[in-house]
Amino acid sequence: MALPVLLPYIRSEFGLSLSVVGFLVTLLWFGGAVGQLPGGVLADEYNEGLIMTVGVGVVAIALTFVVLAPNAATLFVAVLLWGLATSLYPIARITVLSEIYPERLGSALGLTMASGDVGQTLTPPIAGALAALFVWQAGLGFVIPLLIVGGVGVWFLVPRSPRADDTTETLSVDTARYVLAEWRRPTMVFVSFILVLFFFFWQAFTSFFPTYLVVEKGISTSTAGLLFGAFFAAGAVVKPVAGMAYDRIGMRWALIAVLVGPVAGLLLLPIVDSFEAILVVTLAISTMLGNGAVTQSFVAEQFPAEIQGTGLGAVRTLAAMVGATGPVVFGVVADRGFFDEGYVALAVILVVVIGLTYRMPRPEGSR
């Protein structure tokens, strides 16, 4: 989430349009999407602690290439590698939590995601300040040593239970059929489509929100970074609450509850101008951050333990690959002078998601 704050500097240095920098962010998300299924396969095949540690280390290496990129072409390749590197961590994180907290996965995942929002609260304003004081590369480079420390912590703290010898062969044709059979259930078809729409919305919104504040609202880059950080600060509160709501009332009403505020916020965003009003609207939109604790807990629980990582990785790969088109599509819309209309369109997408969630078939034995 440091990258959206740095887009104005990257545009200026390399002479890029909004559409092109949107494509840059799309590459980041697309790389992360492509690797979700392999990441899930590895999470099923090997212990999660090892996979998570390797993932953090590879991200640190990829970010080094990004900050050293001498031209736009190299930057785009390095960002794609950065995206691919991020894909090892997420699925292993969810599967290890499902093993440790089988009865409270929503709460555990909500707290874990909230800890990420603490970082995302601090990272955008720090990145913006470092870019303003020095160069935009400093806004990413400061994360690299922190990732190294985090990787060491993951290695020592995350349980690394060995896989049983009779575990299903994750890469076999039979396992692929097993995953597809589970995926074809009506409930999974519904939730997969919901995730596709939400990933598109999420990636389009976050990629351009700081730039929108600078270009359309006349806010300074550093202040835009603070507002972007406030967005994630609210998420640190919303995600644990959403996770606990999922554990208590199930997916349907927990997901609808976290998406109503963002619809209102997105419709108000084009018409508010004062800093205070924009802050209130930003906080209203931020409740959407509870989505992950609800939907990903639900999807993880729909797959049997032996294919949980592979199944979750497959669903996330599909959703994130389609969703990765969001930044470039939104960039094209913004380049044609329809920045405000683009956010209204995103509100419509959320209305569709709410409607699908309400109509979603109830799986057997679910809440």
Side-chain angles (χ1 to χ4, degrees):
M1 288 304 151
L3 185 61
V5 177
L6 302 176
L7 289 184
Y9 296 98
I10 294 173
R11 285 183 64 204
S12 177
E13 178 169 336
F14 296 106
L16 306 176
S17 67
L18 287 170
S19 303
V20 174
V21 294
F23 180 65
L24 179 68
V25 182
T26 284
L27 281 179
L28 177 63
W29 286 108
F30 182 79
V34 169
Q36 295 283 316
L37 178 54
V41 170
L42 291 172
D44 283 339
E45 196 74 11
Y46 303 99
N47 65 70
E48 291 94 345
L50 172 63
I51 300 303
M52 293 165 69
T53 302
V54 172
V56 174
V58 176
V59 170
I61 294 171
L63 273 179
T64 303
F65 285 112
V66 172
V67 301
L68 295 178
N71 52 54
T74 307
L75 175 67
F76 274 68
V77 173
V79 166
L80 176 59
L81 293 174
W82 173 16
L84 289 168
T86 64
S87 61
L88 288 176
Y89 192 93
I91 305 299
R93 170 197 59 181
I94 296 173
T95 58
V96 76
L97 286 174
S98 71
E99 294 167 10
I100 300 172
Y101 306 103
E103 301 299 323
R104 294 175 293 160
L105 178 58
S107 301
L109 187 56
L111 286 169
T112 304
M113 289 182 164
S115 71
D117 278 335
V118 173
Q120 291 180 140
T121 299
L122 299 173
T123 298
I126 292 174
L130 290 174
L133 289 173
F134 305 106
V135 292
W136 69 263
Q137 289 89 342
L140 289 177
F142 85 95
V143 181
I144 296 172
L146 301 178
L147 284 169
I148 295 172
V149 173
V152 173
V154 168
W155 174 257
F156 283 106
L157 295 177
V158 174
R160 294 192 296 277
S161 56
R163 297 300 185 191
D165 293 337
D166 59 350
T167 299
T168 302
E169 288 295 329
T170 312
L171 297 177
S172 71
V173 174
D174 287 342
T175 301
R177 290 173 179 161
Y178 190 5
V179 171
L180 288 173
E182 295 292 324
W183 205 351
R184 283 198 297 264
R185 290 185 289 120
T187 301
M188 287 303 301
V189 172
F190 251 75
V191 77
S192 296
F193 188 59
I194 288 171
L195 283 173
V196 167
L197 291 177
F198 188 83
F199 269 79
F200 181 93
F201 160 80
W202 158 256
Q203 293 170 19
F205 174 81
T206 55
S207 298
F208 280 100
F209 186 56
T211 302
Y212 172 79
L213 295 176
V214 173
V215 173
E216 295 293 321
K217 301 299 184 182
I219 293 175
S220 68
T221 303
S222 57
T223 303
L226 288 172
L227 283 168
F228 202 41
F231 173 80
F232 290 106
V237 177
V238 170
K239 287 181 178 179
V241 174
M244 289 185 286
Y246 169 79
D247 287 337
R248 290 177 177 271
I249 63 176
M251 174 182 169
R252 190 189 309 271
W253 295 111
L255 185 58
I256 290 174
V258 301
L259 295 184
V260 172
V263 172
L266 286 166
L267 293 176
L268 289 172
L269 184 60
I271 62 177
V272 299
D273 290 309
S274 68
F275 175 84
E276 293 79 9
I278 293 173
L279 175 61
V280 171
V281 167
T282 299
L283 295 178
I285 298 172
S286 71
T287 64
M288 73 175 182
L289 291 168
N291 162 81
V294 176
T295 56
Q296 293 183 49
S297 296
F298 179 83
V299 173
E301 291 184 339
Q302 300 311 300
F303 288 101
E306 63 268 23
I307 59 165
Q308 189 176 64
T310 304
L312 183 57
V315 172
R316 282 177 57 104
T317 292
L318 171 67
M321 284 181 66
V322 178
T325 62
V328 66
V329 171
F330 198 89
V332 171
V333 170
D335 258 341
R336 282 157 177 73
F338 297 107
F339 234 143
D340 287 332
E341 292 81 357
Y343 280 114
V344 173
L346 292 182
V348 173
I349 290 176
L350 282 190
V351 172
V352 173
V353 170
I354 290 172
L356 289 172
T357 302
Y358 181 75
R359 299 288 298 175
M360 189 179 70
R362 188 184 299 273
E364 293 183 8
S366 72
R367 291 163 293 226

